[in-house]
Amino acid sequence: AFATVLMECFGGKDRRSGLILTIPLCTEQTSMEELSATLDYLLSIPSEKCKARGFTVIVDGRKSPWTVVKTVVLMLQNVIPAEVSLVCVVKPDEFWDKKVTHFCFWKEKDRLGFEVILVSANKLTRYIEPCQLTDEFGGSLQYDHMDWVSKRLVFEKFTKESTSLLDELAIINENERAGQPDKARPPDCNVLPSFDPETVLQTGHELLSELQQRRFNGSEGGGGGGGVGGVTAWSPMDDELLAQPQVMKLLDSLREQYTKYQEVCRQRSRRSQLEEIQAKVMQVVNWLEGPGTEQLRTQWGIGDSIRASQALQLKHEEIESQHSEWFAVYVELNQQMAALLNAGDEDDLAELKTLQQQLSDVCYRQASQLEFRQNVLQSAHEFHSTAQDLSQQLDGLLGMLCADVAPADGAAIQQTLKHLEEKLKSVEGALQVLREKGQGLLDQMSNQSSWFYGKDVPVENKENIDHIHSVMEDMQLRKQRCEDMVDVRRLKMLQMVQLFKCEEDASQAVEWLTELLDALLKTHVRLGDDTQETKVLLEKHRKFVDVAQSTYDYGRQLLQATVVLCQSLRCTTRSSGDTLPRLNRVWKQFTVTADERQHRLEMASAFHATECPWEGSEQVELLDSEVFEEVETVGKSLLDRLTVPVIFPDGSEQFFGSPGDMASSAENIRDKLKLQKEGKTLASPDEHRLSLS
């Protein structure tokens, strides 16, 4: 309506502090009905005190025909005759002069109830101060009509919404104060308000802030305009026009009702939350004590193998997964109840604590049952895993014991025996671990009465206990059998060690005897320079032969022990091999060589014994010709013996020492024979004289 009639609101105050109402007219057709409605609305805005001071109406007819101006002036009589004190019709500069004579407003003052004057725009300041006129009438008053309209619309909207909201909140708060249960209240009492209280309050505060700011700016700006009788220029947004006190009153009432409404909502939310918590608590409790407990009650086995225990663990994980969903609900409910308890509402504390305690007891009991079942299954899995490992170790040990022993030497036997002992020790350790695992599992099974809320352990649990005992007893028997077989195998392997040792020592005896034979042939070549030295060599030779005899006897004894051990081990495929023939062959060679050495030493001894001592040409002893011939015969025989090799039983030949050694010994004998021959020649004349006498 404002835009249609192009009417401005109150633009200032006249000299009587009355409000100035400006009605701008235009060349277009003006609807009197809309103008009348607009005037009614505008006149409803000022307070009664303000209306009592009267209005000054400025009808701007400079762009409108006279008939429209006249109609508007007459309409003011019907709409606001009592409030209008002066009507200033702003006329155009060159118009209406001839027509005014047909209607004189001043003559109609008594009938109209107010004074009407025709005035030019530049003469309007005679009746109204310039500071109370806008610039279109030559004044200095700052006024934006569209801004005023937008603010007025905000005010009207706020007034309507706040009034409606106050009524709704009052009804809701009153019903809540009356203590009616939610189900017993009328449906309209439980619905939300038509408007958002926060939004309405924010709009009111923004409007109030704008009004206060406008008033402050207007009072500062109007102070410089001056007025009549000390009256200061008024701002168009004065609180009397936009009812600043009304906005403040509505805000105060709205805040009061909204505070009560918030408390009502809090109480409703608390009750609703409490009811929802109660429903969820019972839902959790009923499931845990019903289907959840039944799931655990049907799961009592521990399986008879690793695979079976793993399948039970997977099944238990599914059960735990289902329980986890309800435990998550429990955590959420517990947090909600803790928040409500911290709020400190005395009416609900006891009920909340009871619910919280009931829910906690059920959840913790169920969680402990799940944990206990999980621990039992874990112990069962470890028990079966240990039993399987022990069974595999026993199988491996039994395989070693059943396999044929064919070691290459004593070191291999010792290594095999060490490996066997380590295997047996590992089996003993694994069996001990199995006993500990089994006993721990049995202890857990005996404490299983904590399941099922104190009820007796199912009879089926006896199968688990019997299975555990059966596994441990079976492993003990298998381990005992393996121990017995290990004892037998250990004895056999020790005998084999002795067998290898005897064979090795016998071979060593053959090597020693061979070394003695080599030493006899290569180093025992001296025959001695005289009888005494030869006797010493003969004694050493006898001792040397005794050593060789002892070595040969030791080798024979070892080979005899080898035969006995092979018979004990039933090792028909094994014998002394070529050790005995080698030993006999070397011994025969040694005996032949030793005998030859013995004969040569004895011949050397006989040669030295029959040899006549000769110490130069000055001493000549008479020698028996037969003795001299004997010496010569023995010496030549010895020389011949030195050139003959030793002939072994197999036909092979071997000389004593090197050719140089033999040549040296032969040269020594020849020198002695030559010396004897020279002595014989010198002794021939004496022999002749002796024979003559």
Side-chain angles (χ1 to χ4, degrees):
F2 306 151
T4 303
V5 301
L6 298 175
M7 177 176 290
E8 294 184 1
C9 189
F10 309 103
K13 290 190 176 183
D14 57 17
R15 290 185 174 92
R16 293 175 292 102
S17 295
L19 296 177
I20 300 174
L21 179 63
T22 303
I23 303 176
L25 300 178
C26 60
T27 56
E28 299 178 359
Q29 183 65 29
T30 302
S31 173
M32 293 299 111
E33 294 180 358
E34 294 182 357
L35 181 60
S36 176
T38 303
L39 288 173
D40 290 338
Y41 170 75
L42 292 176
L43 291 174
S44 66
I45 296 176
S47 62
E48 294 299 327
K49 180 180 178 182
C50 185
K51 291 180 182 179
R53 291 195 292 267
F55 298 97
T56 295
V57 181
I58 300 176
V59 180
D60 188 2
R62 289 177 292 180
K63 298 180 181 180
S64 180
W66 164 251
T67 55
V68 175
V69 175
K70 179 180 178 182
T71 304
V72 170
V73 173
L74 293 176
M75 184 188 65
L76 292 175
Q77 178 191 18
N78 299 325
V79 178
I80 49 174
E83 288 82 357
V84 177
S85 58
L86 175 63
V87 176
C88 295
V89 178
V90 181
K91 64 179 181 176
D93 295 335
E94 298 178 355
F95 196 63
W96 296 350
D97 293 337
K98 295 181 180 180
K99 297 182 180 180
V100 171
T101 57
H102 299 288
F103 184 81
C104 296
F105 286 108
W106 64 274
K107 295 181 180 180
E108 302 292 333
K109 178 179 180 181
D110 294 336
R111 183 171 66 85
L112 293 174
F114 48 77
E115 181 181 2
V116 180
I117 60 174
L118 297 175
V119 63
S120 300
N122 55 1
K123 302 293 182 65
L124 195 57
T125 55
R126 296 179 181 178
Y127 306 96
I128 302 173
E129 293 295 333
C131 65
Q132 300 298 326
L133 293 174
T134 59
D135 57 351
E136 57 186 334
F137 299 117
S140 60
L141 180 64
Q142 299 295 326
Y143 174 69
D144 186 349
H145 181 63
M146 296 310 296
D147 179 65
W148 182 89
V149 170
S150 64
K151 294 299 185 293
R152 186 64 192 182
L153 288 174
V154 173
F155 171 77
E156 294 289 348
K157 182 175 181 293
F158 168 71
T159 303
K160 179 181 178 182
E161 291 181 354
S162 59
T163 303
S164 176
L165 184 59
L166 281 172
D167 294 339
E168 293 177 0
L169 293 179
I171 294 174
I172 294 174
N173 294 337
E174 181 62 26
N175 290 330
E176 186 68 24
R177 189 181 63 82
Q180 294 182 356
D182 293 342
K183 296 181 179 179
R185 295 182 188 135
D188 296 341
C189 297
N190 292 325
V191 298
L192 296 175
S194 302
F195 305 100
D196 179 26
E198 294 287 348
T199 303
V200 176
L201 282 172
Q202 182 179 359
T203 302
H205 285 300
E206 291 176 354
L207 178 61
L208 181 61
S209 177
E210 182 68 22
L211 291 176
Q212 292 173 344
Q213 186 66 25
R214 289 297 184 94
R215 181 179 182 183
F216 176 76
N217 293 338
S219 63
E220 286 188 352
V228 179
V231 179
T232 305
W234 283 61
S235 168
M237 294 298 291
D238 189 79
D239 58 347
E240 288 188 323
L241 298 180
L242 289 182
Q244 180 177 338
Q246 184 179 357
V247 175
M248 297 177 64
K249 182 178 180 181
L250 285 172
L251 284 175
D252 292 340
S253 301
L254 190 58
R255 277 193 292 266
E256 180 181 359
Q257 290 295 333
Y258 182 51
T259 302
K260 295 179 181 179
Y261 173 72
Q262 286 180 317
E263 180 63 23
V264 169
C265 291
R266 191 186 69 81
Q267 293 294 338
R268 284 185 182 179
S269 175
R270 186 177 181 83
R271 284 195 302 271
S272 176
Q273 190 175 7
L274 183 59
E275 292 173 357
E276 183 180 357
I277 288 175
Q278 288 175 336
K280 290 184 177 180
V281 166
M282 295 312 301
Q283 187 179 9
V284 174
V285 170
N286 292 336
W287 190 90
L288 292 178
E289 293 183 345
T293 301
E294 187 61 28
Q295 286 179 346
L296 286 176
R297 185 176 288 114
T298 57
Q299 297 294 314
W300 53 267
I302 61 172
D304 57 358
S305 63
I306 293 181
R307 181 176 298 178
S309 63
Q310 288 176 342
L312 290 173
Q313 284 182 320
L314 290 176
K315 179 62 178 177
H316 185 71
E317 289 176 0
E318 294 177 2
I319 296 175
E320 283 186 331
S321 178
Q322 296 180 21
H323 279 74
S324 298
E325 298 177 1
W326 293 98
F327 289 154
V329 177
Y330 157 70
V331 173
E332 181 181 355
L333 289 174
N334 199 36
Q335 292 175 350
Q336 294 177 3
M337 288 187 286
L340 291 176
L341 289 173
N342 292 331
D345 195 335
E346 298 294 337
D347 298 336
D348 302 329
L349 285 179
E351 185 177 1
L352 278 173
K353 288 182 179 179
T354 302
L355 284 174
Q356 190 178 42
Q357 188 63 41
Q358 180 186 9
L359 183 62
S360 297
D361 292 344
V362 174
C363 289
Y364 278 112
R365 184 167 56 239
Q366 198 76 359
S368 63
Q369 293 171 11
L370 287 170
E371 183 180 6
F372 183 83
R373 172 63 178 168
Q374 177 63 32
N375 292 337
V376 169
L377 290 176
Q378 182 63 33
S379 299
H381 182 271
E382 293 176 358
F383 174 77
H384 290 126
S385 178
T386 304
Q388 180 174 307
D389 292 341
L390 177 58
S391 178
Q392 292 175 352
Q393 292 185 36
L394 288 171
D395 291 341
L397 180 58
L398 185 61
M400 289 182 60
L401 294 172
C402 293
D404 293 333
V405 181
D409 51 27
I413 293 178
Q414 293 288 354
Q415 184 65 28
T416 303
L417 187 59
K418 180 180 178 182
H419 189 202
L420 197 63
E421 296 290 348
E422 291 176 351
K423 282 279 189 181
L424 183 59
K425 186 176 181 181
S426 177
V427 166
E428 292 176 351
L431 182 60
Q432 181 62 31
V433 173
L434 181 67
R435 294 194 189 102
E436 295 174 357
K437 298 287 185 182
Q439 188 59 47
L441 183 56
L442 289 173
D443 294 340
Q444 285 181 306
M445 302 295 288
S446 65
N447 295 329
Q448 201 170 358
S449 58
S450 60
W451 288 20
F452 315 124
Y453 305 98
K455 297 182 181 180
D456 294 336
V457 180
V459 179
E460 293 83 353
N461 202 32
K462 184 176 182 299
E463 297 181 7
N464 298 329
I465 298 176
D466 293 341
H467 171 69
I468 295 171
H469 285 298
S470 175
V471 171
M472 291 193 295
E473 292 172 0
D474 178 63
M475 293 299 170
Q476 177 63 36
L477 290 175
R478 291 178 60 186
K479 183 254 184 184
Q480 187 62 46
R481 287 196 297 269
C482 287
E483 278 186 340
D484 296 340
M485 295 179 68
V486 167
D487 292 339
V488 175
R489 177 57 61 89
R490 185 187 297 111
L491 178 60
K492 183 177 180 179
M493 297 185 77
L494 289 176
Q495 288 179 342
M496 294 188 70
V497 170
Q498 291 178 352
L499 174 61
F500 279 109
K501 182 64 176 174
C502 289
E503 291 179 346
E504 182 180 353
D505 291 347
S507 297
Q508 184 66 47
V510 173
E511 293 178 2
W512 288 343
L513 197 58
T514 302
E515 291 175 358
L516 290 174
L517 176 61
D518 291 341
L520 181 61
L521 288 171
K522 294 178 180 180
T523 61
H524 293 205
V525 294
R526 282 184 55 77
L527 298 176
D529 295 334
D530 52 28
T531 304
Q532 187 65 30
E533 184 179 359
T534 303
K535 289 181 179 180
V536 172
L537 291 175
L538 276 171
E539 186 63 26
K540 289 183 178 181
H541 178 68
R542 292 189 188 97
K543 292 180 180 180
F544 188 78
V545 172
D546 291 340
V547 171
Q549 182 68 49
S550 299
T551 303
Y552 172 72
D553 294 340
Y554 176 66
R556 293 280 297 183
Q557 292 173 1
L558 290 174
L559 291 176
Q560 184 63 34
T562 301
V563 174
V564 175
L565 288 173
C566 285
Q567 293 175 352
S568 176
L569 293 172
R570 297 178 182 179
C571 185
T572 58
T573 60
R574 191 178 187 90
S575 64
S576 59
D578 62 344
T579 306
L580 182 59
R582 287 173 52 224
L583 179 65
N584 291 330
R585 183 175 66 253
V586 174
W587 175 244
K588 289 179 181 180
Q589 292 176 351
F590 183 84
T591 55
V592 171
T593 306
D595 290 344
E596 178 65 23
R597 173 67 173 169
Q598 179 75 22
H599 292 158
R600 292 185 181 187
L601 287 174
E602 289 176 352
M603 291 178 68
S605 178
F607 173 75
H608 292 307
T610 57
E611 178 186 2
C612 183
W614 185 261
E615 297 180 356
S617 58
E618 294 181 358
Q619 295 181 359
V620 179
E621 295 182 359
L622 296 178
L623 296 174
D624 189 351
S625 59
E626 294 180 357
V627 173
F628 186 83
E629 292 177 357
E630 182 181 356
V631 170
E632 187 176 7
T633 301
V634 172
K636 290 180 179 180
S637 298
L638 182 59
L639 288 174
D640 294 337
R641 193 84 178 196
L642 290 177
T643 61
V644 177
V646 179
I647 300 174
F648 295 140
D650 59 357
S652 59
E653 298 178 352
Q654 184 71 37
F655 288 93
F656 277 96
S658 62
D661 295 334
M662 292 296 99
S664 176
S665 297
E667 184 66 25
N668 187 25
I669 294 172
R670 289 189 186 95
D671 290 342
K672 287 183 178 295
L673 289 174
K674 183 178 180 182
L675 185 61
Q676 291 295 327
K677 188 178 291 186
E678 291 176 354
K680 180 181 178 182
T681 304
L682 293 175
S684 293
D686 295 336
E687 289 181 356
H688 180 68
R689 284 193 299 269
L690 287 174
S691 62
L692 290 178
S693 65

